[in-house]
Amino acid sequence: MPFFIALALVFVAEMGDKSQLLVLAFAARYPLRVVVPAVLLATLLIHFFSASVGHLAGSVLPMFWTQLGAGVAFILFGLWTLRPEREHADGQGEGLQWGPFLMIAGTFFLSELGDKTMLVSIAVAGQQRSFLAVWLGGTLGMFLADSIALVAGRFLGTKLQPKWIRYGSAAVFMITGVVVLVHLAAGL
């Protein structure tokens, strides 16, 4: 039962969330062979962390510093996204190896720190006392919700020019960073 509770609550909490918009932007710009494993890895890690914290009924990181780091990171990722893709001498793109994979996984992970889906996983794990079920249920719930954004992002990626995808992605990152920092400042 904790598996299905975590799956349902995280799925609902993720709908329309900033990280779902990030997945859409990533899927529009990068191949799914890079985006899907990066998002899956970050999702596994964030829910592992959340279920662990909830299961131990404690807090590992102060929320202020988590939110501050996430806000600044979003702005930096937005600036990084504005740089044009480089081409090799053979005319091929630079190849999507570890750079985009780590950027996607890191950005997605940071977007979830202190987010409502993380808090849902912590609360469910604390209430249900079932680390493994909450970890796997929360991971699947988030990944299912983000799969909707993957499909939408792939569609947009085929319809828009790469420069507009880059500008849109950068705007999503920077606006998200500003919103996180403004929300943090409002809570002080």
Side-chain angles (χ1 to χ4, degrees):
M1 190 67 146
F3 174 86
F4 294 108
I5 292 170
L7 187 152
L9 291 176
V10 169
F11 179 84
V12 169
E14 183 67 3
M15 296 305 289
D17 194 53
K18 66 183 176 288
S19 56
Q20 194 178 38
L21 295 174
L22 292 174
V23 170
L24 187 139
F26 289 139
R29 183 164 186 210
Y30 298 105
L32 291 182
R33 67 181 160 74
V34 175
V35 177
V36 171
V39 168
L40 183 58
L41 174 64
T43 302
L44 283 164
L45 291 174
I46 198 68
H47 285 284
F48 180 86
F49 179 73
S50 300
S52 296
V53 169
H55 190 69
L56 297 173
S59 180
V60 176
L61 295 172
M63 196 59 64
F64 173 82
W65 294 110
T66 300
Q67 291 293 329
L68 180 65
V72 170
F74 280 129
I75 293 169
L76 293 175
F77 286 133
L79 293 172
W80 184 83
T81 300
L82 286 174
R83 72 171 180 61
E85 294 290 328
R86 290 180 285 165
E87 301 253 338
H88 285 290
D90 63 3
Q92 299 295 316
E94 64 180 287
L96 298 171
Q97 292 126 5
W98 292 108
F101 176 86
L102 293 175
M103 188 270 302
I104 292 167
T107 301
F108 191 84
F109 183 85
L110 286 173
S111 76
E112 287 300 319
L113 288 176
D115 196 53
K116 64 186 172 205
T117 50
M118 180 182 180
L119 299 176
V120 165
S121 288
I122 290 171
V124 172
Q127 181 186 39
Q128 298 293 319
R129 302 285 184 215
S130 180
F131 164 78
L132 185 61
V134 172
W135 175 38
L136 297 177
T139 297
L140 182 59
M142 179 174 281
F143 193 75
L144 289 174
D146 290 331
S147 294
I148 296 167
L150 286 167
V151 171
R154 281 306 332 147
F155 175 76
L156 288 174
T158 63
K159 303 294 180 201
L160 298 173
Q161 292 180 355
K163 74 175 185 178
W164 294 113
I165 294 170
R166 189 170 65 246
Y167 295 152
S169 298
V172 168
F173 293 138
M174 289 189 271
I175 290 168
T176 301
V178 169
V179 167
V180 168
L181 294 175
V182 167
H183 179 68
L184 182 64
L188 293 178

